[in-house]
Amino acid sequence: MVTLTYPAARSGVGRPTAYATAAEAPALLKAFGADPARAGDVDATRTHARAGVRPAPGAHPLVVLSPGFGAPRYTLTTLAEDLASRGYVVASVDHAYESVGTGFPGGRLLTCVACTAMENGTPGSRVTETRAADVSFLLDRLTGTHPAWHYSRSIDERRIGMAGHSIGGAAAIPAMVRDGRIGAGVNMDGAFWDVLPPQGLGGRPFLMLGTDDATHQPGGKDRTWDAMWPALDGWKRWLTVVGAEHMTFSDEPVLAAHFGLPGQPLPVRRAVSVVRTYVGAFFDQELRGRARPVLDGPTAANPEVRFNNP
């Protein structure tokens, strides 16, 4: 299942889209530790996007978003909507049997079979390799001879990027190795499960955006970031966010605040803003050729963000 979010030709037309389906909502709340009985709150929630709207004229860069393990694709909605507002077509992907609940037309609800497999010893590299294959298949279906999307001509297939949270971010590396169409990648707080080949990414840019703690600071517990850094052979940044936790890079801060769940040190609005600012700036720079000084070094407007140079 894929959600396509894109700049509209006209604002205010079409029906507002649901954040999640009635079948998906209870599974999401259970996973987040909220009362499933409040599923109606999620089911009634509407996004800022509207369905059945024609895209804005022209060909737009495409960004593929891959969620964290067990998380449905819509848990990256705050980022997807921001990228669409900047002029991107965004394809948010659900990898089959890898989320707590993904609804399909006809009433099927796919659950996280892969979670059990991981608990039984399946390596994370199997997940990232499978996700890389999913993304290549998706690009074939969106930009091929017989595209699945009626408005596929709105995609500029020369400008494609990928970003993901947790293992979805880690999957950007094998996806870029596998598919040269992906010109830029972002890993948001995910441990890498793959090793780059000798040729690296062929000079393609990559952004690592994570928590500023004992895990993802240089020399941190997640040694995969230190190992990956020298292998990245294009433009690159290693950014960490003070006060961020692992789920900061998804919609979880917004959901937690709404349902009265324990929060995190970084305020919700700042969490959403920082992710949008730096991921958006990265793709603006690398896919659209627009200068984004916020990527050059620390700024007073974003004091939580630290630039690391191991």
Side-chain angles (χ1 to χ4, degrees):
M1 290 298 295
V2 179
T3 295
L4 288 165
T5 312
Y6 51 88
R10 293 176 56 200
S11 62
V13 299
R15 66 184 187 281
T17 60
Y19 182 71
T21 68
E24 293 168 333
L28 175 73
L29 292 185
K30 183 178 179 180
F32 276 107
D35 184 359
R38 296 185 64 186
D41 290 356
V42 177
D43 184 33
T45 298
R46 294 296 177 263
T47 72
H48 294 95
R50 293 171 179 262
V53 180
R54 295 181 63 87
H60 310 282
L62 171 68
V63 174
V64 178
L65 295 183
S66 181
F69 195 66
R73 68 191 185 281
Y74 57 79
T75 56
L76 294 176
T77 295
T78 52
L79 177 57
E81 290 189 339
D82 182 70
L83 289 170
S85 76
R86 294 170 179 261
Y88 296 89
V89 172
V90 182
S92 303
V93 187
D94 248 320
H95 304 276
Y97 299 104
E98 286 190 30
S99 89
V100 294
T102 298
F104 276 70
R108 285 190 303 155
L109 185 73
L110 271 59
T111 56
C112 195
V113 177
C115 292
T116 302
M118 287 279 282
E119 291 171 359
N120 292 334
T122 298
S125 57
R126 181 72 59 84
V127 177
T128 55
E129 290 167 3
T130 300
R131 290 192 176 204
D134 285 351
V135 172
S136 285
F137 173 77
L138 172 65
L139 296 183
D140 290 343
R141 296 295 288 126
L142 288 180
T143 64
T145 306
H146 302 288
W149 186 36
H150 180 66
Y151 296 119
S152 64
R153 290 184 179 180
S154 296
I155 295 173
D156 183 349
E157 48 191 270
R158 300 166 302 172
R159 297 183 292 168
I160 297 174
M162 178 179 173
H165 172 232
S166 195
I167 206 165
I173 287 292
M176 293 176 74
V177 170
R178 175 191 180 98
D179 201 317
R181 291 175 292 185
I182 305 172
V186 180
N187 178 3
M188 297 185 292
D189 212 52
F192 292 104
W193 289 89
D194 304 89
V195 177
L196 278 175
Q199 66 270 26
L201 292 176
R204 285 171 290 172
F206 203 87
L207 170 66
M208 303 193 319
L209 178 65
T211 54
D212 187 67
D213 55 17
T215 299
H216 282 142
Q217 290 176 349
K221 295 177 181 178
D222 183 0
R223 302 300 297 175
T224 67
W225 279 40
D226 290 278
M228 183 61 69
W229 179 252
L232 297 171
D233 56 342
W235 185 99
K236 58 186 178 181
R237 289 289 185 273
W238 181 336
L239 308 183
T240 52
V241 184
V242 176
E245 296 179 349
H246 183 59
M247 298 304 291
T248 295
F249 305 92
S250 69
D251 292 350
E252 194 270 348
V254 178
L255 293 170
H258 179 75
F259 288 100
L261 301 176
Q264 54 186 307
L266 189 63
V268 175
R269 288 184 180 273
R270 289 302 302 154
V272 173
S273 176
V274 165
V275 172
R276 286 174 162 179
T277 294
Y278 286 88
V279 175
F282 172 75
F283 286 126
D284 281 351
Q285 174 180 282
E286 301 302 337
L287 298 184
R288 310 181 82 170
R290 297 180 177 178
R292 290 293 182 258
V294 72
L295 297 172
D296 295 338
T299 64
N302 299 286
E304 309 92 343
V305 180
R306 293 183 175 175
F307 284 67
N308 301 286
N309 297 290

